[in-house]
């Protein structure tokens, strides 16, 4: 399309301007056959004939009139490219300016075009330092040199381009730069040297950092420093000076040298300091304008060294003494105490049993010094039985050591959820009798694990007794478990009534002993029947609430683990009953559902609790009549509202009651409520109320996958259950689909802005082409009595010769791919395409 427009524009020029020569030179001169180029850049001129058949022997002549060689190794050479003679300048120099000529032969006659090459040079700065130093109290020059062709105009600015400097009492602008008179420190700033060429509009600026030289002034003066023994010491010393000063370091007048001393621009580092590094030091800063120095002292601090602490044992009620000794430190260490587990400080002010005694040694200016502290606890009891920390601190560091304080006391037996006052077991009996009767035949009873826990220091040992006799491990009736300090478990497997009663647990250590009775009780089946309350009645089911008691007197000493429910017809007896077991959790109330009942029928119900011993007492009987047959209850949705996909959704439901008649099928339908657009805004749909076709799902299937729905939308779904009586009530629910992938939301997305822009561009190009076509057609009709449309259709009766001066311009061609996957296909010039006539450059001659 671009080539066609170029042809039309060339034709338009040839119509309006009469040709003078058959040779064309590009680029087109801007005036009087002049062409501009830039020094130090590459450049080329192109020469070609409008009629290749009648013009030949093209050549370029230099300003001196000499033919230019085609040797590409030269800086200036010619090259032939598709009947076009190119004149190449690899790098333009000022001497390349002048009048060049392209000559050729046209119809046997010489023909030429002359082009004047004028050169320009871009602005460049030279001999201009971006950081310059000037001396205070004198007139100083800030240098700036710029060159260009044409020559530049120079201007100076300070603190940005808002402050334009002029010739006055302070500044003078010269060819070499800017003179600052009577320089002061305040003249230090960023100056801009601006070079500009009005004829080309080019402008460049050099940012010059001007610094005023002066003697050193302290920014950071070294101070007395405390170092820690064995650690690095860093002392800062920094002076402000122009130029930057040189630093020297001395100790007692002797310059510091050696690997242990590390010098930086503004600091001294002493590696792994020791007590020998104490002394007076000097930092000296010097430049060519002067010198300053400062003295400071370095002290080496030594952290506290605490002597090892040994474990302390004391009987409960006596005084405990713990002593912490610091062997050396500088300066003197402060000693405190704290509990190791809670980090709580130990102080007489918070505990009347505490007393702390410390030494009275005076601190020394230079020498290492030791110290001590003694913690006294009177009376000491078991709450002090813990690790205690001695903390010694000074300016150098904080050190700690722990000591174990052991307060010995006789055992104490604990009663808690693990170590109880009584336990339950029972005897297993056969069918010939019940436990406890004279005719019963008992086998080994249920095992029970009794736990005894004791505290004491030292840790106590535990033994068991029954009726004053010590129990030994026999692996039959008595089995000892976890026999360790402070804890023991005894497993008892009774086989007779005499095995029940009081057992004794004895805990003993070196301080003393303690006893505690633990009772083994006989467990029974639940003695208190559960409370049965009717909750709901339906044609085929009933719901009850059952309340059980967790009290030992009610459940026989063992938790109720099952509720047994029984029911029968009103006119029958309990020998023809139905029953069902319901597991019991820790809750006291249990919901019981009994199904598969007959509609419009009277029943009797009762429940009983079951523990490990057996079945307890039955509750009071309840008379219930089920409801008559009816439609099913509304379905209950089991699936989640959010779908797992964007165009389909899995739904699942259940029916709590079939109304006394089996459910035959389910009717499923859905409709779209709303959706979210590309900006995630909620949009109601205008299609609300248009339901899908009803889908029939045969029972017992209670799930369905809805397909072919739209992404990022809300849908209303209605599922109705049907039996022989009729359909259930409608109870619609909502689902939401996920946002779709690329291509799924095209109907709901805004048009892509790039596509809109492309359509506008194409339409604008077509309109511009039509307007150009009409203008050229009118001009051709006025000059040749034959319009462009007649030329294209070859219907002109009296055609005049139309010469087109086609001047190709080097163009970078980029192949674009249309996003609609229908790229424009270029028409080959060698193919004959019907209906696509080309513009004749010259009328055909009659043969």
């Amino acid at each position: 399309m671009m080539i066609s427009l170029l042809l039309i524009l060339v034709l338009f020029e040839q119509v309006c301007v009469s040709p003078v020569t058959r040779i064309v030179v590009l680029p087109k001169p801007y005036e009087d056959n002049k062409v501009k180029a830039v020094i130090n850049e590459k450049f080329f001129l192109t020469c070609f004939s409008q009629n290749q058949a009648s013009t030949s022997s093209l050549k370029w002549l230099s300003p001196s009139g000499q033919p230019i060689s085609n040797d590409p190794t030269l800086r200036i050479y010619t090259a032939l490219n598709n009947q076009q003679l190119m004149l190449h300048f690899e790098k333009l120099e000022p001497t390349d300016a002048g009048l060049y000529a392209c000559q050729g032969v046209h119809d046997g006659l010489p023909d030429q075009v002359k082009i004047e090459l004028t050169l320009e040079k871009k602005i460049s700065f030279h001999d201009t330092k971006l950081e310059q130093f000037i001396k205070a109290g004198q007139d100083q020059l800030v240098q700036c040199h710029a060159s260009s062709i044409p020559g530049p105009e120079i201007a100076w600015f300070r603190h940005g381009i808002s402050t334009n400097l002029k010739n006055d009492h302070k500044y003078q602008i010269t060819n070499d730069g800017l003179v600052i008179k009577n320089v002061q420190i305040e003249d230090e700033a960023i100056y801009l040297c601006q070079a500009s060429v009005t004829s080309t509009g080019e402008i460049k600026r050099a940012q010059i950092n001007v610094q005023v030289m002066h003697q050193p002034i302290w920014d950071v003066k070294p101070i007395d420093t405390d170092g820690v023994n064995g650690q690095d010491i860093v002392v800062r010393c920094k002076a402000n000076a122009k130029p930057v000063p040189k630093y020297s370091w001395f100790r007692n007048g002797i310059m510091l040298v050696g690997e242990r001393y590390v010098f930086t621009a503004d600091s001294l580092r002493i590696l792994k300091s020791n007590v020998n590094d104490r002394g007076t030091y000097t930092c000296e800063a010097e430049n060519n304008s002067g010198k300053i120095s400062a003295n400071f002292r370095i002290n080496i601090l030594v952290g506290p060294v605490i002597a090892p602490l040994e474990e302390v044992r004391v009987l409960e009620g006596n005084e405990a003494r713990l002593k912490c000794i610091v062997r050396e430190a500088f300066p003197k260490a402060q000693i405190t105490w704290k509990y190791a587990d809670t980090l709580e400080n130990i102080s007489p002010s918070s505990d009347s049993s505490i007393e702390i005694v410390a030494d009275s040694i005076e601190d020394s200016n230079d020498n290492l010094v030791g110290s001590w502290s003694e913690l006294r606890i009177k009376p000491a009891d078991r709450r002090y039985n813990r690790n205690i920390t001695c903390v010694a601190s000074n300016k150098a560091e904080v050190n700690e050591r722990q000591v174990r304080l052991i307060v010995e006391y006789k055992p104490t037996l604990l009663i808690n959820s693990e170590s109880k006052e009584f336990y339950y077991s029972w005897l297993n009996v056969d069918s010939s009798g019940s436990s406890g009767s004279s005719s019963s035949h008992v086998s080994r009873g249920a095992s029970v694990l009794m736990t005894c826990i004791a505290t004491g220091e030292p840790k106590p040992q535990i033994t068991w007794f029954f009726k004053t006799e010590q129990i030994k491990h026999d692996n039959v009736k008595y089995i000892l478990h976890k026999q360790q300090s402070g804890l023991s478990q005894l497993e008892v497997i009774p086989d007779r009534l005499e095995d029940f009663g009081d057992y004794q647990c004895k805990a003993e250590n070196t301080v003393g002993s303690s006893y505690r009775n633990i009772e083994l009780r006989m467990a029974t089946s639940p003695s208190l029947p559960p409370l049965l309350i009717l909750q709901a009645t339906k044609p085929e089911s009933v719901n009850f609430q059952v309340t059980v008691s967790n009290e030992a007197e009610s459940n026989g000493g063992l938790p109720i683990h099952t509720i047994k429910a029984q029911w029968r017809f009103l006119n029958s007896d309990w020998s023809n009953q139905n029953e069902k077991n319901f597991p019991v959790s820790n809750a006291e109330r249990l919901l019981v559902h009994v199904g598969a009942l007959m509609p419009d029928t009277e029943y009797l119900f009762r429940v009983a609790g079951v523990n490990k011993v057996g079945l307890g007492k039955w509750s009071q009987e309840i008379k219930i009549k089920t409801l008559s047959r009816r439609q099913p209850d509304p379905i209950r949705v089991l699936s989640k509202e959010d779908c797992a996909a964007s165009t389909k959704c899995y739904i699942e439901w259940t029916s709590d009651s079939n109304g006394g008649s089996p459910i035959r099928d389910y009717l499923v339908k859905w409709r779209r409520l709303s959706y979210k657009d590309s900006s995630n805004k909620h949009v109601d749909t205008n299609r609300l109320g248009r339901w899908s076709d009803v889908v029939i799902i045969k029972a017992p299937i209670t799930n369905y996958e809805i397909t072919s729905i739209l992404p990022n939308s809300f849908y209303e779904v209605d599922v109705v259950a049907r039996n022989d009586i009729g359909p259930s009530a409608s109870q619609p629910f909502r689902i939401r689909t996920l946002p779709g992938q690329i291509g799924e939301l095209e109907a709901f997305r805004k048009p892509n802005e790039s596509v809109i822009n492309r359509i506008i561009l194409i339409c604008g190009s077509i309109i511009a082409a039509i307007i150009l076509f009409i203008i050229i057609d009118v001009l051709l009709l006025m000059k040749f009595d034959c319009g462009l449309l007649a030329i294209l259709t070859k219907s002109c009766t009296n055609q005049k010769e139309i010469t087109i001066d086609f001047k190709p311009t080097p163009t970078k061609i980029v192949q674009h791919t249309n996003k609609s996957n229908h790229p424009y296909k270029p028409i080959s010039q060698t193919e004959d395409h019907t209906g696509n006539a080309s513009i004749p450059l010259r009328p055909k001659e009659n043969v």
Side-chain angles (χ1 to χ4, degrees):
M1 181 177 179
M2 293 300 298
I3 295 176
S4 300
L5 290 176
L6 287 174
L7 288 172
I8 293 172
L9 291 175
V10 171
L11 177 61
F12 178 77
E13 181 182 5
Q14 291 299 315
V15 170
C16 298
V17 181
S18 299
V20 177
T21 178
R22 300 299 182 186
I23 297 177
V24 179
V25 174
L26 295 179
K28 182 180 178 182
Y30 63 93
E31 66 174 20
D32 298 332
N33 288 341
K34 292 183 178 180
V35 175
K36 288 183 180 180
V38 179
I39 294 176
N40 295 329
E41 300 289 338
K42 290 185 177 182
F43 185 71
F44 70 92
L45 294 170
T46 302
C47 175
F48 63 93
S49 173
Q50 297 183 39
N51 192 329
Q52 299 174 2
S54 60
T55 303
S56 61
S57 303
L58 291 176
K59 60 181 178 180
W60 280 100
L61 302 179
S62 67
S64 62
Q66 299 297 321
I68 298 175
S69 172
N70 60 357
D71 184 359
T73 61
L74 300 177
R75 186 175 61 84
I76 303 175
Y77 65 93
T78 62
L80 188 63
N81 182 19
N82 293 331
Q83 304 301 320
Q84 298 177 353
L85 186 61
M86 318 289 286
L87 174 58
H88 289 273
F89 298 85
E90 288 301 315
K91 185 177 180 182
L92 286 168
E93 296 181 356
T95 57
D96 294 333
L99 192 63
Y100 292 81
C102 179
Q103 291 183 351
V105 178
H106 176 67
D107 293 335
L109 298 175
D111 193 3
Q112 73 172 3
V113 173
K114 292 186 177 181
I115 295 295
E116 182 179 355
L117 179 61
T118 61
L119 298 179
E120 295 178 352
K121 180 183 178 183
K122 293 184 178 180
I123 298 173
S124 62
F125 291 96
H126 56 90
D127 298 330
T128 302
K129 295 182 179 180
L130 299 182
E131 184 177 45
Q132 300 184 30
F133 292 90
I134 57 178
K135 293 183 179 180
Q138 303 177 17
D139 294 349
Q140 295 285 292
L141 173 67
V142 180
Q143 293 184 347
C144 178
H145 299 90
S147 62
S148 66
I149 299 178
E153 298 177 1
I154 303 297
W156 283 88
F157 301 89
R158 181 182 179 185
H159 299 305
I161 61 174
S162 60
T163 306
N164 189 357
L165 304 182
K166 304 292 185 180
N167 289 324
D168 55 19
H169 69 283
K170 184 65 178 177
Y171 303 104
Q172 182 179 355
I173 301 175
T174 68
N175 292 333
D176 293 326
L178 175 68
V179 176
I180 303 176
K181 301 176 181 179
N182 189 20
V183 173
Q184 302 296 321
I185 294 179
E186 294 77 13
D187 293 322
E188 186 171 287
I190 301 297
Y191 291 80
L192 294 181
C193 176
Q194 175 179 292
S196 60
V197 178
T198 304
S199 61
T200 62
E202 184 183 7
I203 185 170
K204 279 190 177 181
R205 299 185 183 99
Q207 182 173 284
I208 303 174
N209 182 11
V210 176
Q211 301 189 35
V212 179
M213 292 188 295
H214 59 86
Q215 72 175 13
I217 301 173
W218 288 121
D219 272 352
V220 180
K221 192 173 182 179
I223 59 176
D224 293 345
T225 303
D226 292 333
V228 178
N229 186 40
Q231 298 183 10
D232 295 353
I233 300 175
V234 177
V235 180
R236 292 198 62 201
C237 176
K238 184 177 182 181
N240 181 8
K242 299 292 174 62
V244 176
K246 177 183 178 182
Y247 295 92
S248 301
W249 297 84
F250 304 89
R251 181 188 179 201
N252 299 327
I254 301 175
M255 182 175 289
L256 298 180
V257 292
E259 296 180 353
R260 292 184 57 243
Y261 303 106
V262 178
F263 307 100
T264 64
D266 61 352
S267 68
L268 163 68
R269 179 182 292 271
I270 302 177
L271 303 178
K272 295 182 180 180
S273 64
N274 55 61
V275 294
N276 296 323
D277 290 319
R278 296 174 182 170
T280 301
Y281 292 74
T282 302
C283 174
E284 185 178 275
E286 181 180 10
N287 68 359
N288 53 12
S289 298
K291 176 174 65 175
I292 57 175
S293 63
N295 296 330
F296 61 95
R297 180 172 177 79
I298 290 181
N299 293 317
I300 303 301
L301 308 181
V302 179
V305 179
I306 304 175
L309 301 178
E310 295 183 356
E311 178 182 272
V312 176
R313 285 183 173 269
V314 63
L315 288 176
E316 189 173 30
N318 294 341
E319 182 182 41
R321 294 191 176 190
L322 296 84
K323 192 170 186 178
C324 180
I325 300 176
V326 176
R327 291 176 175 171
E328 62 178 28
F330 181 81
K332 180 182 176 181
Q334 299 296 320
I335 302 176
T336 58
W337 299 84
K338 66 181 179 181
Y339 296 113
D341 50 356
T342 64
L343 304 181
E344 177 187 359
N345 288 328
I346 302 174
S347 172
S349 61
S350 58
D351 189 345
S352 59
S353 302
I354 299 296
E355 180 184 5
I356 298 177
V357 180
D359 66 79
S360 57
I361 301 175
E362 295 292 335
D363 197 359
S364 174
N365 292 331
D366 294 318
N367 299 324
L368 300 179
V369 62
S371 57
W372 59 267
S373 175
E374 187 174 70
L375 173 64
R376 300 173 182 177
I377 305 174
K378 184 179 181 180
D381 56 42
R382 64 191 67 182
R383 63 192 174 97
Y384 298 106
N385 201 347
R386 58 208 298 187
N387 288 330
I388 296 178
T389 302
C390 169
V391 182
S393 61
N394 63 4
K395 284 175 150 185
E397 60 181 331
V398 177
N399 286 328
E400 298 180 352
R401 274 192 182 272
Q402 286 189 10
V403 58
R404 178 67 178 179
L405 174 59
I406 300 175
V407 180
E408 297 181 346
Y409 60 94
K410 78 175 204 175
T412 300
L413 293 163
L414 304 180
I415 299 176
N416 51 33
S417 59
E418 186 178 2
S419 179
K420 303 177 183 178
E421 292 186 85
F422 50 84
Y423 293 85
Y424 285 91
S425 183
W426 66 96
L427 297 175
N428 295 324
V429 301
D430 56 23
S431 59
S432 61
S434 61
S435 63
S437 66
S438 58
S439 60
S440 62
H441 300 289
V442 296
S443 58
R444 298 183 66 188
S447 67
V448 59
L449 190 64
M450 297 188 294
T451 301
C452 181
I453 300 177
T455 62
E457 187 61 48
K459 290 293 183 183
Q461 298 297 319
I462 297 176
T463 53
W464 293 85
F465 296 87
F466 182 60
K467 296 179 181 180
T468 71
E469 292 186 8
Q470 184 175 349
I471 297 175
K472 303 294 184 180
H473 179 90
D474 60 11
N475 208 30
V476 178
K477 179 180 290 188
Y478 301 116
I479 303 173
L480 292 173
H481 298 278
K482 291 187 178 181
Q483 195 66 17
Q484 55 190 353
S485 298
L487 173 65
S488 179
Q489 289 181 322
L490 173 64
E491 181 180 0
V492 180
I493 307 175
D495 56 8
R496 56 182 179 173
L497 292 176
E498 289 77 9
D499 293 332
F500 292 86
D502 289 336
Y503 287 74
Q504 290 80 38
C505 169
K506 177 184 177 182
E508 184 177 15
N509 63 9
T510 56
V511 181
S513 60
S514 299
Y515 295 85
R516 183 168 78 84
N517 287 337
I518 299 176
E519 182 182 2
L520 179 59
R521 296 179 180 179
M522 173 74 76
T524 64
S525 60
S527 59
L528 182 66
L531 179 62
L532 183 64
I533 300 176
L534 178 65
Q535 292 287 322
T537 305
K538 296 184 178 181
E540 79 289 359
S541 64
V542 293
N543 292 332
F544 296 100
Q545 177 181 287
V546 178
T547 304
V548 297
S549 175
N550 289 327
E551 298 295 331
E553 294 79 6
S554 303
N555 59 20
L558 298 175
I560 295 175
H561 59 76
T562 302
I563 291 294
K564 183 181 290 292
Q566 291 186 347
W567 63 94
R568 63 178 176 84
F569 294 114
L570 182 62
N571 56 0
S572 65
D573 55 35
W574 288 109
S575 62
N576 296 318
Q577 90 281 357
N578 294 291
E579 67 178 24
K580 185 177 180 181
N581 293 328
F582 298 91
V584 177
S585 61
N586 294 329
E588 294 184 352
R589 288 180 175 84
L590 175 69
L591 293 179
V592 173
H593 174 79
V594 178
L597 302 179
M598 297 180 62
D600 198 20
T601 304
E602 291 183 324
Y603 289 90
L604 285 179
F605 287 85
R606 66 180 183 181
V607 293
V610 181
N611 63 11
K612 289 184 178 180
V613 178
L615 181 67
K617 293 183 179 180
W618 291 103
S619 67
Q620 184 179 357
E621 298 175 357
I622 295 180
K623 178 182 176 182
I624 297 174
K625 183 177 181 180
T626 56
L627 300 178
S628 301
R629 293 185 179 181
R630 59 177 182 175
Q631 297 95 332
D633 284 355
I635 62 101
R636 178 163 51 88
V637 181
L638 302 179
S639 53
K640 297 180 180 180
E641 177 179 322
D642 291 332
C643 304
S646 57
T647 57
K648 59 184 178 180
C649 192
Y650 175 83
I651 59 173
E652 186 177 3
W653 63 89
T654 187
S655 181
D656 294 329
S657 174
N658 60 14
S661 178
I663 295 177
R664 295 184 306 171
D665 50 35
Y666 298 92
L667 308 181
V668 181
K669 61 180 180 179
W670 59 91
R671 62 178 175 181
R672 189 164 179 249
L673 296 177
S674 62
Y675 66 93
K676 289 186 177 180
D677 59 14
S678 58
S679 60
N680 209 32
K681 292 183 178 179
H682 193 80
V683 180
D684 291 333
T685 177
N686 295 326
R687 292 181 287 177
L688 180 63
R690 296 182 59 184
W691 289 97
S692 67
D693 295 335
V694 176
V695 178
I696 300 176
I697 307 297
K698 294 295 184 181
I701 299 174
T702 57
N703 59 75
Y704 182 68
E705 186 174 66
I706 302 174
T707 59
S708 301
I709 53 179
L710 296 173
N712 211 25
S713 302
F714 288 93
Y715 281 82
E716 183 180 32
V717 182
D718 190 18
V719 179
V720 175
R722 290 196 304 183
N723 62 8
D724 291 337
I725 307 302
S728 65
S730 175
Q731 192 166 312
F733 58 93
R734 194 171 68 168
I735 61 173
R736 178 173 59 189
T737 56
L738 292 177
Q741 304 296 325
I742 297 176
E744 293 182 342
L745 297 176
E746 294 302 328
F748 308 107
R749 290 180 178 169
K750 294 182 179 180
N752 188 288
E753 293 183 358
S754 63
V755 176
I756 294 176
N757 294 337
R758 192 180 299 111
I759 294 174
I760 293 174
L761 180 61
I762 294 174
C763 293
S765 300
I766 294 174
I767 293 173
I770 293 174
I771 293 173
L772 284 174
F773 184 92
I774 295 173
I775 292 173
I776 294 171
D777 185 65
V778 173
L779 292 174
L780 289 173
L781 183 63
M782 293 172 61
K783 188 169 184 177
F784 299 103
D785 296 330
C786 186
L788 181 61
L789 184 62
I791 294 175
L792 294 176
T793 57
K794 302 179 182 180
S795 59
C796 286
T797 57
N798 185 17
Q799 295 180 348
K800 297 179 180 180
E801 182 177 345
I802 303 173
T803 303
I804 297 178
D805 184 9
F806 178 66
K807 301 178 180 181
T809 302
T811 304
K812 181 179 180 181
I813 300 176
V814 181
Q815 182 177 358
H816 296 275
T817 302
N818 189 275
K819 291 186 177 180
S820 62
N821 296 323
H822 295 289
Y824 297 107
K825 182 178 180 182
I827 299 176
S828 174
Q829 296 180 358
T830 60
E831 296 179 359
D832 182 16
H833 297 274
T834 304
N836 293 314
S838 59
I839 301 175
L841 301 182
R842 183 186 299 274
K844 294 183 179 179
E845 299 178 356
N846 295 327
V847 180

